[in-house]
């Protein structure tokens, strides 16, 4: 499987990252089947978060790593400092609390990739970078990133870090997909637009995309008159996205692949390092993603897929 490098890590990061927002000890057999197969096809990076399944996702992953005795072969991406019912939690205390709890659940003494799940623009970047660097210095974190951070805040944080001899953000994890979000999935979510992608290209900052396949928009299960999935309708139903779907279908036929594999390839063929967080729940879905990750798209094909203002190819 293809890999990228992220500053701060000695391990490569596979361009497919297995998601775990359904992992629980109660479905541990499925967890093992998915992770064993994911690693068998060359994957090595697992995405989780302090809040996933109330913490049970991290517990299940920790159990699997302990049984397989493979911690050093695994890249763990976990996230903390998500807001709660009382509001935002992007502060020194919350970052430390969530990190230590994640370490305990995962049964490890370090996190490879640690991302702040949300941002709070009211908190100065120096407070956040200083807090994270304490844990980097202690060896508890290898690399830091922002999940659902704007590129402007990432840039501000990195400028502060560079000016003060500290470690800055070396990856970002917003939503990026061929279907363009009309509005945020949830409060505080960030979807990468053209300006975000230009920033990533300029600085070659890796982008690890969640909902990389647009929550099933490209599976063929939905149509413009099917309103059964309210969130999909709210976020992705637009004339522009239906045209992107049509073009993905056309290109898929030309290449002899599936439409959703084209959508995945779109994310993985950007002019900057990129990975796709996938939600595969069985061997068939994993194999589909694996084959899709091998597809090479030219920048002309990428532009044609996304730029629906172009009437002909």
């Amino acid at each position: 499987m293809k890999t990228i490098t992220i500053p701060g890590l000695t391990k490569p990061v596979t361009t497919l990252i297995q998601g775990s927002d359904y992992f629980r000890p109660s479905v541990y057999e499925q967890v093992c089947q998915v992770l064993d197969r994911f690693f068998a096809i060359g994957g090595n990076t697992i995405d989780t978060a302090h809040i996933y399944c109330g913490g049970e996702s991290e517990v299940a992953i920790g159990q699997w790593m302990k049984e397989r005795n493979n911690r050093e072969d695994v890249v763990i991406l976990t996230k903390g400092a998500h807001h709660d019912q009382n509001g935002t939690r992007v502060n020194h205390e919350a970052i430390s609390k969530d990190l230590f709890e994640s370490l305990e659940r995962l049964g490890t003494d370090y996190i490879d990739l640690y991302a702040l799940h949300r941002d709070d623009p009211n908190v100065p970047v120096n407070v956040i970078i200083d807090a994270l660097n304490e844990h980097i210095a202690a060896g508890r974190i290898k690399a830091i990133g922002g999940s659902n951070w704007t590129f402007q805040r990432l840039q501000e944080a990195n400028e502060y870090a560079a000016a003060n001899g500290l470690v800055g953000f070396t990856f970002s994890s917003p939503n990026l997909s061929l279907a363009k979000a009309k509005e945020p999935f949830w409060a505080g979510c960030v979807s990468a637009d053209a300006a975000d992608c230009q920033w990533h290209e300029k600085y070659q900052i890796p982008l690890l995309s969640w909902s990389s396949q647009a929550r099933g928009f490209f599976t063929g299960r939905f149509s413009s008159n099917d309103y059964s999935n309210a969130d999909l309708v709210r976020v992705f139903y637009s004339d522009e996205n239906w045209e992107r779907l049509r073009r993905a279908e056309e290109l898929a036929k030309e290449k002899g692949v599936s439409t959703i594999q084209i959508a995945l390839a779109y994310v993985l063929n950007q002019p900057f390092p990129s990975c796709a967080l996938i939600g595969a729940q069985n061997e068939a879905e994993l194999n589909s993603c694996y084959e899709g990750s091998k597809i090479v798209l030219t920048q002309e094909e990428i532009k044609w897929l996304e730029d629906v203002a172009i009437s002909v190819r």
Side-chain angles (χ1 to χ4, degrees), residues 75-128:
V75 176
I76 293 293
L77 161 60
T78 196
K79 304 176 287 291
H82 196 285
H83 56 247
D84 62 15
Q85 66 274 12
N86 298 316
T88 57
R89 300 175 58 254
V90 186
N91 56 62
H92 186 286
E93 180 182 5
I95 290 169
S96 293
K97 176 181 181 295
D98 289 3
L99 173 60
F100 281 115
E101 288 180 356
S102 291
L103 289 168
E104 182 176 1
R105 293 169 182 168
L106 289 160
T108 185
D109 57 4
Y110 72 96
I111 302 298
D112 303 276
L113 301 170
Y114 195 75
L116 298 181
H117 213 159
R118 292 288 189 272
D119 186 17
D120 181 355
N122 294 315
V123 178
V125 293
N126 65 291
V127 173
I128 299 167

Side-chain angles (χ1 to χ4, degrees), residues 41-56:
I41 61 176
N44 76 343
T45 306
I46 307 170
D47 167 63
T48 186
H50 181 268
I51 66 165
Y52 284 177
C53 301
E56 291 187 88

Side-chain angles (χ1 to χ4, degrees), residues 77-278:
L77 161 60
T78 196
K79 304 176 287 291
H82 196 285
H83 56 247
D84 62 15
Q85 66 274 12
N86 298 316
T88 57
R89 300 175 58 254
V90 186
N91 56 62
H92 186 286
E93 180 182 5
I95 290 169
S96 293
K97 176 181 181 295
D98 289 3
L99 173 60
F100 281 115
E101 288 180 356
S102 291
L103 289 168
E104 182 176 1
R105 293 169 182 168
L106 289 160
T108 185
D109 57 4
Y110 72 96
I111 302 298
D112 303 276
L113 301 170
Y114 195 75
L116 298 181
H117 213 159
R118 292 288 189 272
D119 186 17
D120 181 355
N122 294 315
V123 178
V125 293
N126 65 291
V127 173
I128 299 167
I129 290 295
D130 288 351
L132 290 169
N133 270 259
E134 288 181 19
H135 297 294
I136 293 172
R140 290 184 284 266
I141 299 173
K142 301 298 183 183
I144 56 174
S147 181
N148 298 294
W149 278 52
T150 65
F151 74 87
Q152 293 93 340
R153 280 277 285 180
L154 292 168
Q155 181 67 24
E156 183 184 358
N158 282 355
E159 288 174 356
Y160 167 77
N164 290 275
L166 299 171
V167 177
F169 291 130
T170 55
F171 69 95
S172 177
S173 185
N175 162 247
L176 173 65
S177 66
L178 177 56
K180 304 307 176 186
K182 297 185 297 179
E183 61 180 77
F185 287 81
W186 306 282
C189 286
V190 172
S191 291
D193 60 15
D196 291 276
C197 290
Q198 288 169 4
W199 181 82
H200 279 274
E201 182 176 6
K202 178 179 179 180
Y203 294 100
Q204 290 297 296
I205 299 288
L207 187 154
L208 318 182
S209 170
W210 56 265
S211 284
S212 57
Q213 293 169 299
R215 301 176 72 83
F217 184 81
F218 294 94
T219 60
R221 296 196 302 264
F222 304 98
S223 64
S224 58
N225 56 6
D226 176 0
Y227 288 80
S228 59
N229 188 316
D231 281 336
L232 210 66
V233 171
R234 176 177 59 85
V235 177
F236 287 130
Y237 276 33
S238 69
D239 291 342
E240 293 80 5
N241 282 337
W242 292 121
E243 174 60 15
R244 293 183 179 108
L245 171 59
R246 187 197 68 77
R247 294 185 182 198
E249 291 171 339
E250 181 180 330
L251 190 57
K253 289 179 182 178
E254 289 182 14
K255 293 182 178 291
V257 299
S258 69
T259 304
I260 199 166
Q261 287 173 330
I262 291 293
L264 179 64
Y266 166 84
V267 172
L268 297 180
N269 282 272
Q270 295 294 319
F272 46 81
S274 60
C275 299
L277 278 57
I278 59 172

Side-chain angles (χ1 to χ4, degrees), residues 2-37:
K2 297 176 183 177
T3 63
I4 66 168
T5 59
I6 294 182
L9 295 190
T10 56
K11 305 173 194 174
V13 175
T14 51
T15 55
L16 293 182
I17 298 176
Q18 176 60 46
S20 66
D21 61 355
Y22 64 91
F23 283 14
R24 296 178 184 272
S26 61
V27 293
Y28 187 61
E29 183 177 349
Q30 182 186 17
V31 171
C32 291
Q33 289 173 348
V34 168
L35 290 181
D36 288 345
R37 179 57 185 165

